[in-house]
Amino acid sequence: MTARAGGLRVVQVLLAERLFDGERVLNDIPVSINADGRVAAIGGDVPASGAERLPGTLAPGLIDVQVNGGGGALLNNEPTLASLQKMAGAHAGFGTTGMLPTLITDEVEVMQRAADAISTALRKKIPGIIGVHFEGPHLSTPKKGTHEARFIRGLSQAELDIYARDDLGVKVVTLAPENVALEDIRKLVSLGVHVCLGHSNADGATTAAALEAGASGFTHLYNAMSPFQSREPGVVGTALISDDAWCGLIVDGHHVCADAIRLALKAKPRGKLILVTDAMSLVGSEETSFPLFERVVTREGDKLTSTTGELAGSHLDMIGAVRNIRDWCDVPLEEALRMASLYPATFLSVEGGRLAVGAPADMILLDSELQVRRTWISGREVHSI
């Protein structure tokens, strides 16, 4: 198809039974995609050559800020381009069109290899890879969770050199504010890093000071952070009362209970809660266990547990998170989709979360059971069942 809309060559027209454009639901509406992989038009006449009919709901693609692995690959174990391709391909099957591959606390050499792989993926335009999330190593040992204590350390020039790179796309660093100086948080922000607070035992004052210095988010709210108490808000309380800060939520039924999610929904302004997976390598894989440093992580049902007893990431995917928060917390579907698309896009200052003229054609097709039937990234179909 070679029609034109708005002066741009249209290569595809899709007739959506329902379209959720990020704000509203429209019925029986054509969506035109141009040769640049962007939305050329929404609505208008269906061309004489026809359009492909899409039964179900066409919606913006989902954006995952925290994904450790997928398709049998774990970034820490294999910080390579091949791993990134496996991860992106696996998660595309669950609606993820943009992801931050996440490296948890590790040696600086592994961080460098992961950064090089991310740079290569971006240069080669691997669909779905938009940047990198370094979760650690500047964390609190008492709140380390499944992170390896021997690799936890302060911020040195070696890590700063990695964070300063301008070939990594979107950059997120999770740190514990009690272990990183305020001037270093300001430095990270000046380097274009989105600083998140997590794996922290800080008090409320220290946490608030980090936000004042430029930190803008909290990694997996409630988990691995000092709790709210009557005389001390801790990291959790400060996160809940900080209107400008974004908070990630792992809605898998193991990390956070439904009532804690409801409290966050009441406390935080609309748009400041985002769904994340914290997914490990088993998502999109038939495997049931994998090595993590000197331990083994095993899946029982949809729960991942390390041999040392703690939760070790999740077996969650993004569309599963959307279904869960809708079903468990009575969040309307449209808002649940925004929490997985528009709001993380806003947090990361990237395009996404809306299907509008000029926007990237990053889209998913959902059936009546909220299963992902098809996924497009920049107008190119990368998943279909």
Side-chain angles (χ1 to χ4, degrees):
M1 181 172 295
T2 58
R4 289 183 177 271
L8 297 173
R9 185 167 62 92
V10 173
V11 296
Q12 187 177 24
V13 179
L14 305 172
L15 184 58
E17 179 182 9
R18 284 178 302 279
L19 170 69
F20 173 60
D21 65 4
E23 296 179 1
R24 55 184 177 159
V25 176
L26 304 170
N27 295 313
D28 297 316
I29 190 162
V31 178
S32 302
I33 312 301
N34 68 28
D36 293 331
R38 292 180 175 269
V39 178
I42 293 178
D45 297 330
V46 176
S49 54
E52 182 182 0
R53 294 183 175 273
L54 300 180
T57 300
L58 190 67
L62 311 181
I63 299 173
D64 194 347
V65 175
Q66 186 181 5
V67 52
N68 308 288
L74 188 73
L75 188 58
N76 281 78
N77 290 350
E78 304 171 83
T80 64
L81 178 64
S83 289
L84 296 175
Q85 291 172 309
K86 290 178 184 178
M87 292 165 61
H91 286 276
F94 302 103
T96 298
T97 59
M99 60 184 284
L100 295 186
T102 300
L103 189 82
I104 68 170
T105 298
D106 212 321
E107 299 174 290
V108 70
E109 292 79 11
V110 177
M111 297 175 68
Q112 291 165 340
R113 289 171 59 199
D116 290 342
I118 292 289
S119 175
T120 301
L122 292 171
R123 188 175 68 253
K124 291 180 176 291
K125 301 185 184 303
I126 301 302
I129 305 297
I130 63 173
V132 63
H133 182 165
F134 292 104
E135 187 185 354
H138 323 300
L139 306 180
S140 163
T141 300
K143 294 293 183 181
K144 69 180 183 62
T146 199
H147 290 241
E148 193 76 4
R150 61 195 164 111
F151 296 138
I152 291 175
R153 58 190 181 272
L155 177 61
S156 74
Q157 190 61 47
E159 291 89 20
L160 272 175
D161 288 344
I162 296 171
Y163 305 148
R165 291 176 59 164
D166 60 6
D167 60 344
L168 302 181
V170 180
K171 299 179 288 189
V172 172
V173 172
T174 293
L175 56 82
E178 67 269 39
N179 292 334
V180 177
L182 294 178
E183 56 265 31
D184 285 332
I185 292 176
R186 296 187 190 98
K187 175 66 173 178
L188 289 172
V189 174
S190 75
L191 294 172
V193 173
H194 299 266
V195 175
C196 287
L197 308 179
H199 287 277
S200 169
N201 210 27
D203 60 18
T206 301
T207 307
L211 293 173
E212 183 66 24
S216 56
F218 290 85
T219 294
H220 45 54
L221 179 64
Y222 296 114
N223 300 116
M225 53 181 62
S226 51
F228 174 82
Q229 302 179 66
S230 60
R231 295 179 179 85
E232 169 51 55
V235 177
V236 170
T238 306
L240 291 174
I241 64 174
S242 299
D243 287 350
D244 292 335
W246 282 269
C247 296
L249 282 170
I250 307 171
V251 187
D252 65 347
H254 304 295
H255 284 81
V256 188
C257 74
D259 283 342
I261 297 169
R262 292 189 187 97
L263 174 61
L265 288 164
K266 288 178 179 290
K268 297 294 292 182
R270 185 169 175 263
K272 293 298 185 178
L273 291 177
I274 60 178
L275 300 178
V276 301
T277 64
D278 198 23
M280 294 300 230
S281 62
L282 303 185
V283 171
S285 164
E286 296 300 318
E287 299 171 5
T288 57
S289 65
F290 62 92
L292 182 64
F293 303 112
E294 297 175 355
R295 293 163 279 151
V296 174
V297 176
T298 303
R299 175 170 69 87
E300 295 185 9
D302 63 351
K303 184 178 182 180
L304 300 184
T305 307
S306 169
T307 45
T308 44
E310 70 276 358
L311 285 174
S314 85
H315 195 61
L316 183 66
D317 55 73
M318 283 300 280
I319 196 59
V322 169
R323 287 193 301 267
N324 290 347
I325 201 165
R326 181 199 63 171
D327 295 343
W328 300 343
C329 301
D330 299 318
V331 173
L333 174 58
E334 291 80 6
E335 181 67 3
L337 287 168
R338 291 186 196 101
M339 293 175 71
S341 58
L342 178 60
Y343 302 159
T346 304
F347 166 53
L348 298 175
S349 300
V350 299
E351 294 183 296
R354 288 191 177 93
L355 293 177
V357 174
D362 296 342
M363 311 176 296
I364 57 175
L365 181 66
L366 303 171
D367 64 19
S368 59
E369 302 299 319
L370 278 193
Q371 299 291 337
V372 176
R373 310 301 297 184
R374 298 170 70 177
T375 302
W376 296 263
I377 299 177
S378 296
R380 183 164 72 88
E381 190 166 12
V382 297
H383 166 75
S384 178
I385 58 172

